[in-house]
Amino acid sequence: MSTSDKAPYHHGDLRRSLLDAASGILHRDGIGAVSLREVARAAGVSHNAPYRHFPSRDALLAGVAAEGFGRLRARLAAAGDDLAAMGEAYLAFAVAERPCFLLMFGSSLCKADFPDLASAALEALRALDRVASGRAASGGDACESRTIGPATLRAWAIVHGFAHLVADGQLSLEAASRALAADGTAP
Amino acid sequence: MSTSDKAPYHHGDLRRSLLDAASGILHRDGIGAVSLREVARAAGVSHNAPYRHFPSRDALLAGVAAEGFGRLRARLAAAGDDLAAMGEAYLAFAVAERPCFLLMFGSSLCKADFPDLASAALEALRALDRVASGRAASGGDACESRTIGPATLRAWAIVHGFAHLVADGQLSLEAASRALAADGTAP
DNA sequence: AGCAGAAGTTGGCAGTGTCAACATCCGACA
DNA sequence: TGTCGGATGTTGACACTGCCAACTTCTGCT
């Protein structure tokens, strides 16, 4: 409606608009407020248009979550090869994008149902893995979760635990950040 | 309908029945299936009866979650004063009561809205705190989360992180358990 | 030029949470 | 003992949701 003044053929790029609208509502009003119809309304289309791009509400949410993992990955990558910095970045993401973080790691979406989501998640964690298992140095018996090393697992659990506690409001970012730094992601 | 054959006055003890029914549905079909109407149906009352005992669906879920924290507390207490055992117990709870665990630590319930829930949660963690901060031995500058010590925070974050990863199906219980033991809840 | 199919719309159904008004039954008080 | 207040449970309704089916409109390709 801004780039073109002629109301393009159909819409131009719904799907993108839907993802953006959903993301906006998610951050503004929480996951409970993200209904297919509300999203459609926000995108200016009829209540059934989303079904041409997403087979279900959960599929839309999975799309939003997958993009969230993309942003998380970017943040982790920006932290370079410093494990501690990555932990900070993880935490910062959980705070800055709390609703999305909760969506990404919440139970509402079964990752098995959405391969794209699962791979986006794995992709994000791989950054963490690269650094953490490089740091491990010692032996390398691949843990049974074959794509992620044991050192990563430990680092991930700590950071993820703090992130959840912060996201749940049970802990302040400062306290978590301090505890994280003191803990020894760098033992 | 079993203890009395006469269909008692009103119901006897709805609220208890509602909590049980909700808990049953939660564990059987997941949180999405726990609707006020379904719970009422399972308890054999009309769709509006629950409102005499819970002001909203979330309040019912908060009640279920609070009882979950009670059971978690019992498990932690049963682990005695052994921090490692408590970690195992925490993990075991997350697996055995996965749906309830996800409800308890999920984002759907805002603890600020349900004081009973919040206090039940705190009560459960206090057991962890007692042992962990006893273990800390060193200085004791109370962390800003004044009811929980910093040593607890760290232990909690690790255990909680693993529990979430397991509950999300991203990690097997065995792997988490192994990593947890190796990690050093006993540094 | 015209057509197959993608993209979007209208209408409808079953299910939900919540509110309001009504019925029933217990316990307390006269 | 009889009656009445309030707690408990019921019926009915409303707005909202996800999803399905049938219909229209537009597009890119032959």
Side-chain angles (χ1 to χ4, degrees):
Chain A
M1 52 177 84
S2 55
T3 59
S4 134
D5 59 343
K6 218 187 170 334
Y9 359 81
H10 276 147
H11 179 106
D13 193 358
L14 238 179
R15 185 179 172 95
R16 187 67 281 167
S17 298
L18 291 172
L19 286 170
D20 290 343
S23 182
I25 296 172
L26 174 65
H27 280 87
R28 191 161 351 95
D29 304 315
I31 193 174
V34 183
S35 80
L36 231 24
R37 288 167 113 106
E38 187 63 33
V39 170
R41 229 168 275 139
V45 293
S46 79
H47 71 265
N48 255 344
Y51 281 97
R52 296 294 148 190
H53 299 271
F54 300 95
S56 70
R57 171 182 187 260
D58 279 356
L60 207 202
L61 290 179
V64 172
E67 295 199 335
F69 276 112
R71 292 192 298 277
L72 174 57
R73 188 168 73 92
R75 282 196 189 231
L76 292 179
D81 284 356
D82 181 1
L83 232 193
M86 290 179 91
E88 283 288 339
Y90 200 100
L91 226 46
F93 178 84
V95 170
E97 304 214 29
R98 197 183 95 102
C100 193
F101 176 82
L102 292 171
L103 171 66
M104 290 157 56
F105 292 104
S107 59
S108 45
L109 257 35
C110 175
K111 292 189 177 61
D113 295 344
F114 304 100
D116 289 359
L117 213 206
S119 69
L122 208 59
E123 196 65 30
L125 271 354
R126 232 191 282 279
L128 220 170
D129 189 45
R130 202 195 62 243
V131 176
S133 46
R135 173 72 80 80
S138 67
D141 65 333
C143 128
E144 131 281 3
S145 154
R146 67 259 169 273
T147 46
I148 304 253
T152 310
L153 240 40
R154 176 178 175 279
W156 189 18
I158 296 176
V159 169
H160 192 63
F162 274 118
H164 257 285
L165 295 181
V166 170
D168 275 5
Q170 311 214 17
L171 196 53
S172 76
L173 175 59
E174 292 72 29
S177 186
R178 213 179 317 132
L180 194 55
D183 161 59
T185 50
Chain B
M1 52 179 83
S2 55
T3 60
S4 136
D5 58 343
K6 221 186 165 336
Y9 4 78
H10 275 145
H11 178 107
D13 191 359
L14 238 178
R15 188 181 169 91
R16 189 67 288 189
S17 297
L18 291 172
L19 286 170
D20 289 344
S23 183
I25 296 172
L26 173 66
H27 280 87
R28 191 161 351 98
D29 304 315
I31 193 173
V34 182
S35 79
L36 229 26
R37 291 169 112 106
E38 187 63 33
V39 170
R41 229 167 274 140
V45 294
S46 79
H47 72 266
N48 253 345
Y51 280 96
R52 296 298 147 190
H53 299 271
F54 301 95
S56 71
R57 172 182 186 259
D58 280 356
L60 208 201
L61 291 179
V64 172
E67 295 200 335
F69 275 111
R71 290 192 299 277
L72 174 58
R73 188 168 72 92
R75 283 195 189 231
L76 292 179
D81 284 356
D82 180 1
L83 232 194
M86 290 180 92
E88 283 288 339
Y90 199 99
L91 225 47
F93 178 84
V95 170
E97 303 215 30
R98 197 183 96 100
C100 193
F101 176 82
L102 291 172
L103 170 67
M104 289 157 59
F105 292 105
S107 59
S108 44
L109 258 36
C110 174
K111 293 190 177 59
D113 295 344
F114 304 100
D116 289 359
L117 213 204
S119 69
L122 208 59
E123 197 64 31
L125 272 355
R126 232 192 283 276
L128 220 172
D129 188 46
R130 201 194 64 243
V131 176
S133 47
R135 172 73 80 81
S138 66
D141 65 332
C143 127
E144 133 279 2
S145 154
R146 65 258 170 275
T147 46
I148 303 256
T152 310
L153 241 38
R154 176 177 175 279
W156 188 19
I158 295 176
V159 169
H160 192 63
F162 275 117
H164 257 285
L165 294 182
V166 170
D168 276 5
Q170 311 214 18
L171 195 55
S172 75
L173 174 59
E174 292 73 29
S177 187
R178 212 179 317 131
L180 194 55
D183 160 60
T185 51

